[in-house]
Amino acid sequence: MAHANEEAQQAQSTFHHISVLPTELINGLAIKPGGQYLDVTLGGGGHTQLLLEAAEGTEVWGIDQDEVAIAAVQSRLSHYMETNRLHLIHNNFDEFHPGEQKFDGIIADLGVSSVQFDVAERGFSFRSEAPLDMRMNQQQSLTAAEIVNTWEDKELADLIYELGEERRSRRIARKIIENRPIETTTQLAYVVAGCFPPKQRHGRIHTATRTFQALRIAVNRELEVLDRLLEVAPDWLKPEGRIGIISFHSLEDRRVKHAFKPDERLRVITKRPLTASETELEVNPRSRSAKLRIAERRDRSSNE
Ligand SMILES: C[S@@+](CC[C@H](N)C(=O)[O-])C[C@H]1O[C@@H](n2cnc3c(N)ncnc32)[C@H](O)[C@@H]1O
């Protein structure tokens, strides 16, 4: 138990994530006093805290599959838990079933938190040497190392092409296979860099960015779980309840856009996605690629 407490304290003191599009999300959700909200990507609890502070008596259910995120929020926002306004759920949102409960708003802020990215041992970043892990949920068995070291050439090339939108995918897959076993993030980044002509190795985007993105999406089944969320979450909303999804790359944003528009249960609120203001970009460069789309559950009696 002492061990768990130490872990929670450590998690709290080291968990630093700046929430993106805070004003846009809270205003866009039109938060109601006493309303019930679901945050399916709790992370550092930044958006959840805003939901709790936006109107009197709001109640939030926060889900995260990362035990470090849950522990950090548990200790940082404990006062809201004591007053029964915050309920934490350690799980993949893909496995969440609210039963009869309906929400006034649902939010998802997709992808990894700054903490997952910045803690080298989580293996998400090629900026420091660490085992090739990339699991948001530390209890799952599939890691990036397993994909890199066991998948067949074609499977690997398709993955890097489709989930990384990387045109050099075949060459990268071939080089990965030639250099097996690849155990660490920096080893992989080095192999990928070798697939690019020297003058492209020092561009604005690191040559390994797309390959790492592809692996991360595959390890965490990010697109599959997003598709399911888009299918089921509108049924979890009360009439006129709103859903807001923040995505960070085109593969996600396209899915959100194409799911919201034809969905007869929903009315799209944001014709174009909301993006970060210049002021936000100055303080949080990570917000550069964030896109927020919001939709509202139609009232059953509405003929709109
Ligand atoms: C970008 S962060 C969220 C940050 C949060 N909105 C804040 O303001 O602090 C994304 C979080 O969602 C979690 N996550 C991503 N996909 C998930 C899933 N399918 N199920 C549960 N948690 C997930 C990650 O573990 C990560 O902690």
Side-chain angles (χ1 to χ4, degrees):
M1 202 58 203
H3 183 60
N5 278 341
E6 271 166 37
E7 272 181 4
Q9 273 170 15
Q10 198 190 357
Q12 186 192 16
S13 60
T14 55
F15 209 110
H16 184 65
H17 175 92
I18 308 175
S19 306
V20 299
L21 301 170
T23 315
E24 292 78 359
L25 184 66
I26 295 304
N27 290 346
L29 251 70
I31 310 296
K32 297 186 179 113
Q36 297 183 314
Y37 295 88
L38 176 66
D39 180 353
V40 299
T41 52
L42 181 73
H47 286 133
T48 277
Q49 184 171 3
L50 293 172
L51 291 169
L52 288 161
E53 288 169 354
E56 212 173 309
T58 52
E59 201 175 343
V60 179
W61 282 257
I63 306 177
D64 206 296
Q65 59 180 330
D66 185 340
E67 62 204 19
V68 178
I70 294 284
V73 175
Q74 217 157 26
S75 80
R76 196 170 69 80
L77 300 180
S78 59
H79 52 293
Y80 285 112
M81 297 179 70
E82 282 150 22
T83 50
N84 245 351
R85 289 185 58 199
L86 174 61
H87 317 273
L88 301 184
I89 303 160
H90 178 213
N91 207 344
N92 192 309
F93 62 66
D94 197 35
E95 284 162 35
F96 177 68
H97 303 283
E100 294 301 303
Q101 184 172 11
K102 305 278 181 210
F103 299 96
D104 295 282
I106 299 174
I107 63 172
D109 172 18
L110 302 168
V112 284
S113 68
S114 307
V115 177
Q116 289 166 330
F117 196 75
D118 294 343
V119 172
E121 303 81 66
R122 301 296 299 266
F124 286 103
S125 167
F126 42 77
R127 305 211 180 274
S128 32
E129 173 121 40
L132 268 176
D133 188 321
M134 302 197 193
R135 292 169 303 167
M136 290 188 205
N137 170 2
Q138 300 90 332
Q139 273 135 41
Q140 84 173 36
S141 62
L142 180 67
T143 63
E146 183 176 333
I147 297 179
V148 163
N149 291 305
T150 65
W151 283 27
E152 309 264 319
D153 190 353
K154 182 174 180 318
E155 272 182 306
L156 208 48
D158 288 351
L159 169 100
I160 296 169
Y161 183 74
E162 283 161 23
L163 303 185
E165 299 183 292
E166 171 60 74
R167 282 183 300 150
R168 289 175 189 268
S169 57
R170 281 170 203 258
R171 189 174 165 75
I172 293 173
R174 210 168 47 239
K175 284 283 165 202
I176 286 177
I177 289 171
E178 277 170 27
N179 283 281
R180 279 174 177 169
I182 299 176
E183 307 289 358
T184 69
T185 48
T186 44
Q187 245 181 305
L188 177 61
Y190 182 78
V191 170
V192 175
C195 301
F196 287 78
K199 60 173 190 263
Q200 282 186 29
R201 289 182 205 159
H202 305 287
R204 197 173 61 85
I205 296 179
H206 191 288
T207 47
T209 303
R210 295 177 200 280
T211 301
F212 271 62
Q213 172 184 303
L215 287 167
R216 194 200 84 201
I217 294 176
V219 167
N220 298 291
R221 298 187 304 115
E222 290 177 37
L223 299 181
E224 276 167 69
V225 298
L226 173 60
D227 284 343
R228 181 180 172 269
L229 182 74
L230 292 166
E231 200 181 301
V232 297
D235 285 335
W236 302 344
L237 287 169
K238 296 180 189 174
E240 295 177 9
R242 291 191 173 187
I243 177 164
I245 304 209
I246 299 175
S247 61
F248 288 85
H249 53 78
S250 55
L251 292 172
E252 287 171 346
D253 182 55
R254 234 177 280 148
R255 282 176 144 77
V256 180
K257 179 178 165 184
H258 291 139
F260 276 1
K261 204 165 171 213
D263 193 326
E264 290 179 351
R265 297 165 297 179
L266 297 174
R267 182 172 72 87
V268 176
I269 302 289
T270 48
K271 301 289 176 234
R272 285 159 174 269
L274 304 179
T275 54
S277 63
E278 285 301 319
T279 322
E280 180 172 1
L281 286 171
E282 270 169 40
V283 291
N284 186 11
R286 187 177 164 271
S287 64
R288 182 165 299 282
S289 43
K291 288 191 174 152
L292 167 63
R293 293 188 187 267
I294 299 175
E296 183 178 274
R297 171 88 199 195
R298 290 175 196 271
D299 188 320
R300 243 169 262 137
S301 59
S302 157
N303 300 320
E304 249 189 285

